Amino acid sequence: PVELAKYAATLDQISGGRVTLGVGVGAMTEEFEALGISMRQRGSLTNECMDIMKELWSNQLPRFQSKRWDFSDLYFSPKPVQPTIPLWVGGSSPGAIKRTALRGDGWHPTGVSPEGYSLGKQEITDIAATAGRDPSKMTWSARVEVEVHGRPSSDRAASRTTMPGHDPAMMVSSIKAYQDVGVDHMVLALNSGDVPALKRLMETIASEVLPEFR
């Protein structure tokens, strides 16, 4: 976490205070086995890393003590341009919901429907308020897959969380559904190896979708 905090703070200086750091606990067993870390510890490990980074970014003489890390009388430079770098928590599991509410500056799940997002946001808001945090200061973000080559109309399950790239009007409607439940930042994930198709879709989004939200 100290090294990552250093990288992020340096980038924040270079970019003039525009860094947002996404945080996820990970889900691939092979990655944890390669690092020699138990997957069962990934939640507590992530929580401590978030606490350490915020301590390093915000305090002139940062200190932290736990079973894993113990430091004090430490100088950390450069500090970020921002008071602290925003940490957006990915995921929609109970652990991710709690992590967002207690430590995060934003929520950024993937593949959650507008209805599911509304429920998650309310749960985060309630937990944060109970813990004495101000949920109005959080950023609400979402990542949504966009079908580059269209989507079969019979795929009802995907239609709730996947946008049809072949229909700009439906994309606008879908984005507005997220906007209506409080999402104020969206990442449209265009996953395809078909570069010409990606370029066409990006041009369509730029000309027919984005203008609806300016």
Side-chain angles (χ1 to χ4, degrees):
V2 178
E3 187 174 6
L4 178 56
K6 179 75 170 182
Y7 291 151
T10 301
L11 183 58
D12 201 59
Q13 283 285 341
I14 293 172
S15 66
R18 297 189 296 115
V19 171
T20 296
L21 185 60
V23 178
V25 298
M28 293 182 63
T29 304
E30 295 83 359
E31 292 180 342
F32 287 88
E33 290 176 347
L35 293 170
I37 298 173
S38 170
M39 279 194 71
R40 293 183 178 182
Q41 297 179 16
R42 69 190 192 278
S44 61
L45 183 62
T46 301
N47 292 343
E48 284 193 342
C49 287
M50 293 175 70
D51 293 342
I52 287 172
M53 289 190 292
K54 287 194 172 188
E55 175 72 10
L56 293 168
W57 291 329
S58 60
N59 290 330
Q60 290 304 313
L61 292 175
R63 61 172 55 238
F64 190 87
Q65 186 175 27
S66 71
K67 292 181 179 179
R68 294 187 179 100
W69 290 283
D70 184 2
F71 60 81
S72 59
D73 298 325
L74 176 71
Y75 287 92
F76 180 87
S77 180
K79 296 291 188 184
V81 173
Q82 305 174 78
T84 186
I85 293 175
L87 297 177
W88 290 6
V89 178
S92 54
S93 67
I97 293 289
K98 186 176 180 180
R99 185 167 298 108
T100 304
L102 299 182
R103 290 178 168 83
D105 303 295
W107 186 39
H108 182 70
T110 295
V112 177
S113 68
E115 296 84 354
Y117 197 101
S118 179
L119 293 173
K121 180 183 177 184
Q122 186 60 57
E123 186 174 359
I124 291 169
T125 298
D126 292 343
I127 296 173
T130 300
R133 302 190 73 208
D134 184 358
S136 69
K137 295 181 178 179
M138 290 186 180
T139 300
W140 304 101
S141 177
R143 179 182 182 275
V144 179
E145 301 283 342
V146 178
E147 292 290 345
V148 176
H149 297 97
R151 172 185 51 78
S153 58
S154 61
D155 190 354
R156 295 181 180 179
S159 68
R160 296 175 65 81
T161 58
T162 306
M163 293 186 191
H166 65 283
D167 190 333
M170 288 184 66
M171 288 188 67
V172 170
S173 177
S174 180
I175 293 172
K176 287 185 175 179
Y178 284 96
Q179 189 177 47
D180 289 343
V181 298
V183 174
D184 47 33
H185 183 97
M186 291 202 70
V187 172
L188 303 181
L190 317 181
N191 296 323
S192 173
D194 187 340
V195 176
L198 281 173
K199 183 178 179 181
R200 289 192 298 271
L201 179 53
M202 290 172 68
E203 290 172 343
T204 297
I205 292 172
S207 62
E208 300 183 46
V209 177
L210 291 181
E212 296 295 322
F213 300 94
R214 288 178 180 146

